[in-house]
Amino acid sequence: MAFTDSVGGVTNFNLEAKPDDGYFHVFVAPKMSLARSAIFLPYFLMGNFKKIPGMTHFKANEISITVDNQQTAQTRIDGDPSAKSPLKMRLLEHKLQVITPDPDTDK
């Protein structure tokens, strides 16, 4: 899930994602192995996440995340441990001010 166009230090992975667009941008990756990760590396480096075979992408202003077998699973947000599943998230408009550099200037 991304609130900006940067994930793991890779920028521009999703040019549609804007801090104030009102959506969660969700990417569900296919099961990865070391070999598959190596094959998909160019997609990550070039910012073509959506083109990875088996990748699912959608955007929504409200999402629920559950585990098929009704057990809980540890979640991560931006690589850090977070709450256990199930999760219910909803974007609240105008509740957080995000300050970003002006893309039209060098400052």
Side-chain angles (χ1 to χ4, degrees):
M1 187 168 3
F3 295 103
T4 67
D5 66 351
S6 173
V7 170
V10 176
T11 57
N12 300 321
F13 87 97
N14 182 11
L15 297 177
E16 295 173 12
K18 304 292 181 216
D20 60 352
D21 69 3
Y23 291 104
F24 293 108
H25 292 262
V26 181
F27 286 80
V28 181
K31 187 173 183 177
M32 294 286 185
S33 65
L34 186 57
R36 274 186 115 180
S37 296
I39 292 169
F40 294 160
L41 185 61
Y43 291 95
F44 287 102
L45 296 176
M46 298 303 293
N48 292 323
F49 281 46
K50 290 182 187 178
K51 295 182 181 179
I52 293 174
M55 180 69 76
T56 300
H57 168 260
F58 63 92
K59 62 183 183 176
N61 59 7
E62 191 170 323
I63 60 174
S64 295
I65 300 172
T66 60
V67 178
D68 286 342
N69 59 13
Q70 299 301 317
Q71 294 182 1
T72 61
Q74 179 65 52
T75 65
R76 293 185 173 271
I77 295 178
D78 201 23
D80 297 320
S82 185
K84 292 192 176 194
S85 66
L87 295 178
K88 291 185 179 188
M89 296 179 281
R90 178 172 52 102
L91 285 177
L92 302 174
E93 291 187 49
H94 309 293
K95 296 296 181 185
L96 175 67
Q97 182 178 8
V98 178
I99 301 172
T100 61
D102 184 347
D104 297 328
T105 67
D106 293 328
K107 297 177 184 179

